[in-house]
Amino acid sequence: MLNVQLLLTGNELMSGDIVDSNSAMIAQNLAEIGVAIKRKVTVSDEFSDLVSEIELMSQQADLLIINGGLGPTVDDLTAVALAEVAKLEIVQHPEALAHLTDWCEKRNFKLNEPNLKQTMLPNGCEVVPNAIGSAVGFKLNINQCDVYCTPGVPVELKLMLAEQIIPSVESQLPTVSHHHVSRYQVFGIGESSLQKLVDEQLPDWPEDIELGFRASMPILELKLTSKTALAKLNKAKWLDKIRALIGDHIVGEITDKPKSFGEHIQHLLRAQNKKITFAESCTGGMLASAMTRISGASEVFDASFVTYSNLMKQNIVNVSPQTLEKYGAVSKETVIEMAMGALDRTQANLVVSVSGVAGPTGGSDEKPVGTVWIAWGEKENLNTTCLYIPGNRYYFQHYVTAISLDLVRRMLINSNEIPKYLIERQKA
Amino acid sequence: MLNVQLLLTGNELMSGDIVDSNSAMIAQNLAEIGVAIKRKVTVSDEFSDLVSEIELMSQQADLLIINGGLGPTVDDLTAVALAEVAKLEIVQHPEALAHLTDWCEKRNFKLNEPNLKQTMLPNGCEVVPNAIGSAVGFKLNINQCDVYCTPGVPVELKLMLAEQIIPSVESQLPTVSHHHVSRYQVFGIGESSLQKLVDEQLPDWPEDIELGFRASMPILELKLTSKTALAKLNKAKWLDKIRALIGDHIVGEITDKPKSFGEHIQHLLRAQNKKITFAESCTGGMLASAMTRISGASEVFDASFVTYSNLMKQNIVNVSPQTLEKYGAVSKETVIEMAMGALDRTQANLVVSVSGVAGPTGGSDEKPVGTVWIAWGEKENLNTTCLYIPGNRYYFQHYVTAISLDLVRRMLINSNEIPKYLIERQKA
């Protein structure tokens, strides 16, 4: 297997002033051709550190991608450091000069001294064209390792990877790769519970299909990676076994990028020609916002209410004062009346209403912080549940929003399952 | 100088499935006490790689922070790898067990086998409490290097840094530092504009006060770092000069952690004993959610409306059909009627109403995607503006929400300034 390593350079990366997204981009591009990065090192623009890392990494790796440090300022030391390790002179590269001259002419820029620095490269290196920026990339073999030096500007790097580096690496790979990744969205089962289920129920899980997770709030990502030709063929079968274990906790397959609940529900509502509305207390607008963040919301959503105070629950969604007096704002009776009021006012087909104690204040013995009543469904088919979701306010609001939308999703796909969270979180 | 290194572990980091923001967080927290990270290494969850990196890094560094790999799954190997390097046994740590038991009880979870793995730590290590998650952090001295093992979940890491690690590292720093950071929240002026203003208007800016920025949506963070005793004394004077340049674009000083607009406005409203309501179209609940995310919202907020369709603008906040017919939904007349309707229905003192074209569809020549009308103020003192905020839907919704709340903030502090965005973004 190819030993691939990544060296990132830049003071701004070390200080935390910017978040490094380039290495994720490089890793994703390599993953598409079945190549994994073994090790990644980040250093500041300190010459001696750069030199020693390049020396060490080129000894270990078959392929080393260096990112950053190609720019025009004194901080940009990649070329000089590489020349030092390779014991080569730094010379003006004619191809790099031609590129820069052309680049400046096209933009009506005067070629200046700092820019010229970008044409000074280790003698004998191969230029890697940069379709956008002024600094070319370059490639050199040191210690039997192919070293690519790439620009730190994300759009430049992206094009260079797609057009130059990935095709070149792929052409050197020994055989066709069997590496294949499928990804799924899972809601309502945590990483450890899912791992435990697989361990217990599927003890013969094959070694050449890797089960991975990516925790992301609120929807977990489940990843199946096949590593052999056989595994690639068998993967669907093993996925079916997972489906048998967790059913509709699988929200969907990720084909492009992960979808939010708002997207899933908009899609389902549109297909069924239905509209939704909300009457929110403790989520305070988060449910409405989850729907309207997604373009096309107007086809499935007309209006929504945030009724935070008791008086507004009465005046806006017609909860009766008697109900509030007798059962309180956080009650089955109140969320039912909120839901009915919102349906009446908007003529929507579906509704979610929520009323709970988000905290940190406002809890009581009977209704502690984390208690929430949810009503969801249609006028003639309204369900309710009372859940207990302790934790902080942020977690509570986001999780109540996610559960509410998942309950709607399950209704829209006619699921008969009882989701795990309704069993575990239900308040006695 | 302290040699500080950072080791990140996780297949998901190497595969590019997630972008690493934790190391930026760690770097920023260390920077506040004048400590820089020298080197950062990222490896996958491969036991032998982890062991060799920990061995090497602990030999080089005085302080090593390991992030990730504390979870319940088989991938999570940090504790075992550390024990291997330190030649210690892995044992069940009573403090970690007590934490986990308590954590599960509070959440009504049954303690399962995978979770118990999180209590198995190198014998003799010191537990570092985790205020949120189930896995504690821990600390160990190996090869005369203090090694901290921290969780990969950002919110957990954040609290652990603030409450445990940074204070502990700071207490070990050799001398009293003159390194002193003041941070301010700035809204409505970008990083490069602000830098240019300072360069042009304050050419004698002192070398020993570093001006730094941290871009964060929507509020920019401005950082003044003094590096000498004199600079520390002079800093207030230079801050006043910046204040003279950008006035109320400074939202406030950051004393603890950055405040959201929701927090700022809740504070101002409460002091003035006022309540606010919203009538939202294109922001679809985001304004209400910005207020209700903050605990204590019920003191300043009773109710709010999302009126997405024309019919709902009529039925719920009393916009007249004639107004919609004659001027359209995205118009001065409509946002004024939406605002008045929301005030009438809720009896709030203040209101914001917004109607615009969030896109990507729905634009016209006259009202292209990015056009938004905002009304804000009180019944007898209602202002309106029409802005043009192109970009994608995400940016549009968040920026319109931020600007709306900033306009309310400026009204509540009786600011007479015209903010830069009203000049630059105003539609002719």
Side-chain angles (χ1 to χ4, degrees):
Chain A
M1 217 173 69
L2 220 57
N3 182 322
V4 181
Q5 301 201 14
L6 190 54
L7 175 61
L8 296 134
T9 151
N11 290 338
E12 70 284 6
L13 287 174
M14 294 313 282
S15 65
D17 283 346
I18 69 165
V19 167
D20 158 42
S21 57
N22 283 356
S23 55
M25 189 201 298
I26 295 171
Q28 278 160 1
N29 275 272
L30 287 169
E32 308 247 315
I33 57 169
V35 173
I37 296 174
K38 188 173 172 58
R39 186 167 175 268
K40 181 173 87 182
V41 176
T42 312
V43 290
S44 60
D45 300 316
E46 184 76 36
F47 187 68
S48 59
D49 289 348
L50 260 179
V51 170
S52 63
E53 293 294 348
I54 294 173
E55 180 69 54
L56 198 70
M57 294 179 94
S58 63
Q59 282 169 14
Q60 296 174 349
D62 304 306
L63 173 65
L64 171 62
I65 298 178
I66 303 180
N67 186 244
L70 299 189
T73 73
V74 288
D75 290 346
D76 294 302
L77 298 168
T78 300
V80 192
L82 207 63
E84 171 91 7
V85 176
K87 301 189 177 60
L88 292 171
E89 267 184 286
I90 282 283
V91 296
Q92 187 162 61
H93 198 295
E95 212 176 315
L97 181 62
H99 169 79
L100 180 65
T101 311
D102 182 56
W103 189 89
C104 285
E105 265 169 19
K106 276 198 182 132
R107 281 157 187 80
N108 232 351
F109 283 164
K110 233 172 98 182
L111 208 163
N112 64 22
E113 199 57 42
N115 277 133
L116 271 178
K117 184 175 156 294
Q118 299 175 321
T119 66
M120 304 298 290
L121 304 179
N123 198 4
C125 74
E126 185 184 320
V127 157
V128 181
N130 184 337
I132 301 170
S134 59
V136 295
F138 54 96
K139 183 188 169 186
L140 201 63
N141 192 289
I142 309 181
N143 297 325
Q144 270 134 353
C145 171
D146 275 336
V147 182
Y148 281 96
C149 297
T150 62
V153 181
V155 284
E156 300 178 15
L157 171 65
K158 192 176 178 178
L159 267 177
M160 199 178 280
L161 282 168
E163 293 176 4
Q164 315 284 340
I165 299 174
I166 297 298
S168 163
V169 172
E170 193 174 17
S171 72
Q172 292 166 44
L173 291 179
T175 53
V176 180
S177 167
H178 298 294
H179 189 96
H180 186 260
V181 183
S182 308
R183 297 186 299 157
Y184 302 87
Q185 290 187 296
V186 171
F187 178 75
I189 291 194
E191 189 177 325
S192 62
S193 303
L194 188 44
Q195 177 80 59
K196 193 171 162 240
L197 260 181
V198 171
D199 291 347
E200 286 173 4
Q201 306 289 321
L202 305 171
D204 50 342
W205 186 269
E207 270 194 17
D208 52 5
I209 301 179
E210 192 180 272
L211 188 68
F213 303 98
R214 180 182 150 195
S216 64
M217 250 297 270
I219 305 184
L220 180 72
E221 218 174 290
L222 167 70
K223 205 166 80 172
L224 292 188
T225 308
S226 61
K227 296 179 157 181
T228 64
L230 189 65
K232 202 167 167 180
L233 289 172
N234 281 333
K235 204 161 59 170
K237 188 184 80 186
W238 286 97
L239 178 70
D240 285 343
K241 296 191 183 195
I242 289 187
R243 260 189 215 290
L245 290 179
I246 62 171
D248 296 328
H249 288 91
I250 297 185
V251 179
E253 180 168 1
I254 302 172
T255 48
D256 179 18
K257 53 183 178 181
K259 287 196 178 72
S260 67
F261 270 128
E263 280 174 277
H264 285 293
I265 288 176
Q266 186 188 115
H267 180 81
L268 290 165
L269 287 170
R270 196 191 283 134
Q272 299 177 28
N273 201 21
K274 287 180 176 167
K275 290 194 173 182
I276 194 166
T277 188
F278 305 103
E280 305 182 57
S281 188
C282 58
T283 47
M286 209 174 265
L287 276 161
S289 183
M291 289 306 295
T292 57
R293 276 167 198 236
I294 313 303
S295 172
S298 58
E299 290 177 49
V300 302
F301 175 87
D302 286 334
S304 183
F305 309 90
V306 181
T307 53
Y308 221 59
S309 70
N310 278 3
L311 186 62
M312 291 296 135
K313 288 182 181 71
Q314 296 171 39
N315 291 356
I316 295 173
V317 285
N318 286 326
V319 177
S320 81
Q322 291 76 21
T323 299
L324 288 164
E325 171 76 25
K326 190 165 171 195
Y327 303 102
V330 180
S331 67
K332 178 175 180 165
E333 292 73 13
T334 295
V335 289
I336 289 177
E337 292 187 23
M338 285 169 74
M340 290 302 175
L343 284 176
D344 276 352
R345 299 202 60 115
T346 61
Q347 300 300 310
N349 311 90
L350 279 157
V351 65
V352 175
S353 63
V354 284
S355 184
V357 190
T361 58
S364 65
D365 281 351
E366 198 202 342
K367 293 169 185 174
V369 170
T371 305
V372 61
W373 272 97
I374 304 175
W376 76 102
E378 303 176 0
K379 199 165 188 167
E380 313 294 332
N381 180 20
L382 196 71
N383 307 286
T384 57
T385 186
C386 181
L387 303 179
Y388 176 54
I389 301 170
N392 62 25
R393 184 180 184 90
Y394 175 91
Y395 177 78
F396 174 87
Q397 288 188 325
H398 280 85
Y399 203 55
V400 169
T401 299
I403 284 183
S404 300
L405 295 176
D406 191 56
L407 289 167
V408 170
R409 177 187 69 88
R410 286 173 176 265
M411 182 170 241
L412 288 170
I413 62 170
N414 292 312
S415 175
N416 293 318
E417 275 178 33
I418 297 172
K420 199 160 168 275
Y421 53 80
L422 278 199
I423 300 163
E424 290 176 354
R425 301 284 195 159
Q426 203 135 32
K427 248 193 130 203
Chain B
M1 218 173 67
L2 220 56
N3 182 323
V4 181
Q5 301 201 14
L6 189 54
L7 175 61
L8 297 135
T9 154
N11 289 338
E12 68 286 5
L13 287 174
M14 295 311 282
S15 65
D17 282 347
I18 68 164
V19 166
D20 157 43
S21 56
N22 283 356
S23 55
M25 189 201 297
I26 295 171
Q28 280 160 2
N29 275 273
L30 287 169
E32 309 249 313
I33 55 168
V35 172
I37 295 174
K38 187 173 172 60
R39 187 167 174 268
K40 180 173 87 182
V41 175
T42 313
V43 291
S44 60
D45 300 316
E46 183 76 37
F47 186 67
S48 60
D49 289 349
L50 261 179
V51 170
S52 63
E53 293 295 347
I54 295 172
E55 180 68 56
L56 198 70
M57 294 178 93
S58 63
Q59 281 167 16
Q60 295 174 349
D62 305 306
L63 172 66
L64 171 61
I65 298 178
I66 302 180
N67 186 243
L70 299 189
T73 73
V74 287
D75 291 348
D76 295 300
L77 298 167
T78 300
V80 192
L82 207 65
E84 171 91 9
V85 176
K87 300 188 179 61
L88 293 170
E89 266 185 286
I90 283 281
V91 296
Q92 186 161 61
H93 198 295
E95 212 174 316
L97 182 63
H99 169 79
L100 180 65
T101 310
D102 181 57
W103 188 90
C104 285
E105 265 169 20
K106 278 203 180 122
R107 280 158 188 79
N108 235 347
F109 283 162
K110 232 172 95 183
L111 209 161
N112 65 24
E113 199 56 42
N115 276 131
L116 271 178
K117 187 176 155 293
Q118 300 175 322
T119 65
M120 302 300 290
L121 304 179
N123 198 2
C125 74
E126 185 183 319
V127 157
V128 181
N130 184 338
I132 301 170
S134 59
V136 295
F138 54 96
K139 182 187 169 187
L140 201 62
N141 192 290
I142 308 182
N143 297 325
Q144 269 134 355
C145 171
D146 275 336
V147 182
Y148 281 95
C149 298
T150 61
V153 181
V155 285
E156 298 178 17
L157 171 64
K158 194 174 175 178
L159 267 177
M160 199 179 282
L161 282 169
E163 293 177 3
Q164 314 285 340
I165 300 176
I166 297 297
S168 162
V169 172
E170 194 174 17
S171 73
Q172 291 166 44
L173 292 178
T175 52
V176 179
S177 168
H178 295 298
H179 189 97
H180 185 261
V181 184
S182 308
R183 298 186 298 155
Y184 302 87
Q185 291 187 295
V186 171
F187 179 75
I189 291 193
E191 185 176 328
S192 61
S193 303
L194 187 44
Q195 180 76 61
K196 196 165 161 247
L197 259 182
V198 170
D199 290 347
E200 286 174 4
Q201 306 289 321
L202 306 172
D204 49 342
W205 185 270
E207 268 192 20
D208 52 4
I209 301 179
E210 193 180 86
L211 188 68
F213 303 97
R214 183 179 149 198
S216 65
M217 247 299 265
I219 305 184
L220 179 74
E221 218 174 289
L222 167 71
K223 205 165 76 172
L224 292 188
T225 309
S226 60
K227 297 177 156 183
T228 63
L230 189 64
K232 202 166 167 180
L233 289 173
N234 280 334
K235 204 159 62 168
K237 187 183 82 185
W238 286 97
L239 177 70
D240 285 344
K241 296 192 184 196
I242 289 188
R243 262 192 212 287
L245 290 179
I246 62 171
D248 295 329
H249 288 92
I250 297 184
V251 179
E253 181 167 3
I254 302 172
T255 46
D256 178 17
K257 55 185 178 179
K259 285 196 178 73
S260 68
F261 270 128
E263 281 174 275
H264 285 294
I265 288 176
Q266 187 188 114
H267 180 81
L268 290 164
L269 287 170
R270 195 190 285 133
Q272 297 175 31
N273 200 20
K274 287 180 177 168
K275 290 194 173 182
I276 193 166
T277 186
F278 305 103
E280 304 183 58
S281 188
C282 58
T283 47
M286 208 175 266
L287 276 161
S289 183
M291 288 307 296
T292 56
R293 275 167 199 237
I294 312 304
S295 172
S298 59
E299 290 177 50
V300 302
F301 174 87
D302 285 335
S304 181
F305 309 90
V306 181
T307 54
Y308 221 58
S309 71
N310 278 3
L311 186 62
M312 291 297 134
K313 287 181 181 75
Q314 295 170 43
N315 291 356
I316 295 173
V317 284
N318 286 328
V319 178
S320 82
Q322 292 75 25
T323 299
L324 288 164
E325 171 77 26
K326 189 166 173 193
Y327 302 102
V330 180
S331 67
K332 178 173 178 163
E333 291 74 11
T334 295
V335 290
I336 289 177
E337 292 187 24
M338 285 168 74
M340 289 304 175
L343 284 176
D344 276 354
R345 298 202 61 116
T346 60
Q347 301 300 311
N349 310 90
L350 277 158
V351 65
V352 176
S353 63
V354 283
S355 184
V357 190
T361 58
S364 65
D365 283 351
E366 198 204 341
K367 291 168 185 174
V369 170
T371 305
V372 61
W373 273 97
I374 304 174
W376 76 101
E378 303 176 359
K379 199 166 188 168
E380 313 292 332
N381 179 19
L382 195 70
N383 308 285
T384 59
T385 187
C386 181
L387 303 179
Y388 177 55
I389 301 170
N392 62 26
R393 186 180 183 89
Y394 177 91
Y395 176 77
F396 174 87
Q397 289 188 324
H398 280 84
Y399 203 54
V400 169
T401 299
I403 283 183
S404 301
L405 295 176
D406 190 56
L407 288 168
V408 170
R409 177 187 69 89
R410 285 173 178 267
M411 183 171 239
L412 289 169
I413 62 169
N414 292 313
S415 174
N416 293 318
E417 273 179 32
I418 298 173
K420 201 158 165 275
Y421 53 80
L422 277 199
I423 299 162
E424 290 175 355
R425 301 282 194 160
Q426 202 135 33
K427 245 191 133 207

